């Protein structure tokens, strides 16, 4: 049951002061290397609006342009609300600035962050919960969202985030190369539904390209290794439970199985053994490989390349459909004295942005609003509609205060795994390093 009102969640709860100190800790802290960044403030077209709100977000480049277009359209449709966007650098600088503003009593009326970071912020009181009854008055209800996204946003019975999208780690592929390799069916790639079948398909793609079958840029990139590991681990049906002060509850055998299997196909035939992120993008964009694991945010890069691009959720090689990702979400940074008009405007703005999320899909992200993804207009979008099911099988970083997008913990995952995948060292040893890192983090409170 979700409570509509406010309240402090129970259990382990660092103070707001502790959260702030954690945000400002040095680069070696598990909580992440957070550093302040400057910001640029823009004023929306509704300069005469009766109510103005400030929204902070982290979208730049192509995403930023689309997001601003959505904001502009929302304001044009409701000129009574003016939206002043503040754009900050993605990652550590953004989260530092936002947590400082919240703790210091200067928080914006509305902000965007990653869903996987929310659990680490709730105990410190730097966010206010959403009133689900007020959301419903604006047409935003639980049944609009994939359960995996909504459930992650609910902590201790309260809703702390409203999902805008799911951005997934998916498999892009070149339809022409896949067809020549004999693995293209009427509804996409075929034969990838087992560990053995996936490897055979990769070899067939390699025979066709004459170079390698699949691109996966992971070297030196803990985020990319996390995406692969936790997505495949979830497919085995195993779970992760991370309780502060306790040992990590994981299925070591499942982690070893996944780590060993990925190691087996990083062989310079099925997939390039030593590839960083830019190289993987370039190899797929130029047709040197027939498929590429990457985030759906690379869609626009591939659409402008000379490849016949299509895409699918993470292939289900271990039995249970699961695709790793994260979600951009709207949050209410804590307000000491809530202005009812501004708070009402924040709710109205989020509802309007969700209705505009067909436009958001242009950047590759899967809209969280299922009214959009189930629409005829969205179904006509290819390849976006071909991987939209990933939102219904979404899995995330294990939930803890030290995990999530942009966290330093993803680097720790990379340090544990890269030796096994790049240098073919022991998968068992890699998994034990990973479990050790989890256990150490669980014994560590946010830096004080």
């Amino acid at each position: 049951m979700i409570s509509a009102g406010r309240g402090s969640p129970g259990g382990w709860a660092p103070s707001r002061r502790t959260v702030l100190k954690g945000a400002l800790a040095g680069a070696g802290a598990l909580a992440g290397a957070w550093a302040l960044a400057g910001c640029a403030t823009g004023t929306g077209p509704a300069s005469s609006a009766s109510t103005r709100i400030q929204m902070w977000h982290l979208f730049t480049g192509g995403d930023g342009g689309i997001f601003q277009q959505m904001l502009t359209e929302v304001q044009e449709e409701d000129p009574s609300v003016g939206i002043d966007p503040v754009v900050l650098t993605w990652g550590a600088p953004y989260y530092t600035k936002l947590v400082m503003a919240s703790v210091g009593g200067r928080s914006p009326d509305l902000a965007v962050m990653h869903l996987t970071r929310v659990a680490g912020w709730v105990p410190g009181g730097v966010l206010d919960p959403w009133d689900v009854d007020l959301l419903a008055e604006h047409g935003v209800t639980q049944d609009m969202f994939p359960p995996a996204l909504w459930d992650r946003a609910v902590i201790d019975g309260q809703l702390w985030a409203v999902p805008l999208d799911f951005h997934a780690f998916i498999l892009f592929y070149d339809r022409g190369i896949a067809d020549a390799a004999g693995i293209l069916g009427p509804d996409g790639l075929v034969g990838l539904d087992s560990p053995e079948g996936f490897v055979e398909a990769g070899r067939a793609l390699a025979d066709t390209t004459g170079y390698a079958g699949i691109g996966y840029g992971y070297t030196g990139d803990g985020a990319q290794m996390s995406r692969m590991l936790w997505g495949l681990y979830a497919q085995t049906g195993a779970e992760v439970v991370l309780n502060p002060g306790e040992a990590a509850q994981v299925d070591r055998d499942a982690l070893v199985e996944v780590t060993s299997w990925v190691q087996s196909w990083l062989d310079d035939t099925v997939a390039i053994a030593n590839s960083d992120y830019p190289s993987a993008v370039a190899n797929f964009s130029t047709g040197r490989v027939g498929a590429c694991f990457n985030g759906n945010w690379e869609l626009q890069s591939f659409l402008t390349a000379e490849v016949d691009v299509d895409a699918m959720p993470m292939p289900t090689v271990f039995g249970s459909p699961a695709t790793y990702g994260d979600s951009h979400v709207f949050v209410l940074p804590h307000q000491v004295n809530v202005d009812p008009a501004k708070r009402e405007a924040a709710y109205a703005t989020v509802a309007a942005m969700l209705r505009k999320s067909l436009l958001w899909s242009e950047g590759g992200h899967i809209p969280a609003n299922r009214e959009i993804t189930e629409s005829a207009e969205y179904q006509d979008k290819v390849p976006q509609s071909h991987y939209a099911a990933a939102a219904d099988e979404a899995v995330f970083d294990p939930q803890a205060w030290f995990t999530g997008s942009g966290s330093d913990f993803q680097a720790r995952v990379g340090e544990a795994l890269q030796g096994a995948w790049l240098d073919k060292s022991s998968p068992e040893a890699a998994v034990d390093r990973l479990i050790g890192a989890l256990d150490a983090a669980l014994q560590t409170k946010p830096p004080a």
Side-chain angles (χ1 to χ4, degrees):
M1 180 68 67
I2 299 175
S3 170
R6 298 187 183 208
S8 298
W12 181 77
S15 66
R16 293 172 66 207
R17 179 179 178 87
T18 300
V19 171
L20 175 59
K21 288 184 175 181
L24 297 178
L30 263 174
W34 294 358
L36 283 172
C39 60
T41 303
T43 301
S47 58
S48 61
S50 59
T51 303
R52 302 201 68 83
I53 62 171
Q54 189 178 79
M55 175 195 286
W56 288 16
H57 69 84
L58 37 65
F59 301 118
T60 57
D63 277 358
I66 295 173
F67 195 77
Q68 182 56 51
Q69 183 179 345
M70 294 165 66
L71 289 175
T72 299
E73 292 185 8
V74 166
Q75 290 183 111
E76 289 173 347
E77 293 174 3
D78 183 6
S80 68
V81 176
I83 306 169
D84 297 324
V86 175
V87 187
L88 295 98
T89 304
W90 180 92
Y94 178 81
Y95 287 112
T96 298
K97 187 75 172 180
L98 186 56
V99 78
M100 285 186 66
S102 182
V103 173
R106 303 181 307 278
S107 59
D109 304 290
L110 187 62
V112 175
M113 64 185 294
H114 289 94
L115 182 55
T116 54
R117 300 299 291 267
V118 170
W121 282 35
V122 167
V126 293
L127 299 177
D128 287 339
W130 290 88
D131 184 325
V132 294
D133 292 334
L134 185 53
L135 279 173
E137 291 178 17
H138 288 277
V140 179
T141 55
Q142 178 177 351
D143 59 354
M144 291 172 54
F145 302 91
L149 274 60
W150 181 272
D151 291 348
R152 182 84 176 210
V154 174
I155 299 172
D156 290 332
Q158 292 185 300
L159 182 71
W160 296 92
V162 177
L164 171 64
D165 61 33
F166 181 62
H167 42 285
F169 186 65
I170 59 178
L171 184 65
F172 292 95
Y173 59 92
D174 185 310
R175 292 179 58 85
I177 294 175
D179 191 25
I183 62 170
L184 182 66
D187 298 317
L189 298 185
V190 297
L192 281 68
D193 54 355
S194 70
E196 300 78 18
F198 177 93
V199 171
E200 290 176 7
R203 296 197 187 284
L205 290 171
D207 289 342
T208 303
T209 65
Y211 180 64
I214 300 167
Y216 169 43
Y218 72 96
T219 54
D221 193 331
Q224 284 287 84
M225 285 181 266
S226 289
R227 292 163 186 150
M228 181 68 75
L229 177 74
W230 299 121
L232 292 173
Y233 177 79
Q235 289 189 2
T236 69
E239 297 181 355
V240 181
V241 178
L242 303 180
N243 292 323
E246 301 178 5
Q249 300 176 41
V250 298
D251 186 330
R252 181 179 182 274
D253 291 341
L255 284 171
V256 170
E257 179 182 20
V258 167
T259 304
S260 300
W261 180 71
V262 174
Q263 182 188 73
S264 75
W265 51 259
L266 290 171
D267 62 355
D268 285 330
T269 301
V270 175
I272 302 169
N274 182 3
S275 176
D276 61 17
Y277 190 110
S279 298
V281 171
N283 285 330
F284 181 69
S285 298
T286 56
R288 297 187 79 191
V289 297
C292 180
F293 280 112
N294 217 313
N296 56 223
W297 52 85
E298 288 294 347
L299 175 62
Q300 288 300 320
S301 298
F302 295 147
L303 286 175
T304 58
E306 295 185 6
V307 293
D308 184 8
V309 65
D310 208 334
M312 62 181 290
M314 171 75 79
T316 305
V317 297
F318 286 111
S320 299
T323 297
Y324 177 97
D326 206 338
S327 171
H328 294 115
V329 295
F330 294 105
V331 295
L332 296 170
H334 177 65
Q335 301 278 342
V336 177
N337 297 302
V338 175
D339 182 321
K342 289 178 178 287
R343 183 55 58 92
E344 178 76 20
Y347 277 70
T349 297
V350 167
M353 292 293 281
L354 291 174
R355 292 192 293 271
K356 290 288 179 185
S357 54
L358 180 67
L359 179 59
W360 189 236
S361 70
E362 292 293 328
H365 301 316
I366 304 167
N369 183 356
R370 294 199 292 196
E371 294 175 357
I372 298 296
T373 56
E374 293 172 1
S375 68
E377 294 86 352
Y378 185 82
Q379 293 304 312
D380 287 340
K381 288 183 175 290
V382 175
Q384 289 95 321
S385 61
H386 290 178
Y387 58 79
D392 292 312
E393 57 189 50
V395 296
F396 306 89
D397 261 12
Q399 185 159 303
W401 67 266
F402 51 83
T403 64
S405 293
S407 69
D408 190 56
F409 181 73
Q410 291 186 335
R412 305 286 82 76
V413 173
E415 290 171 359
L417 293 183
Q418 182 165 290
W421 289 355
L422 178 60
D423 300 323
K424 306 304 185 237
S425 63
S426 165
E428 291 82 2
V431 167
D432 288 339
R433 286 194 297 271
L434 175 60
I435 294 173
L438 284 168
D439 288 342
L442 289 169
Q443 298 299 322
T444 306
K445 291 185 176 182

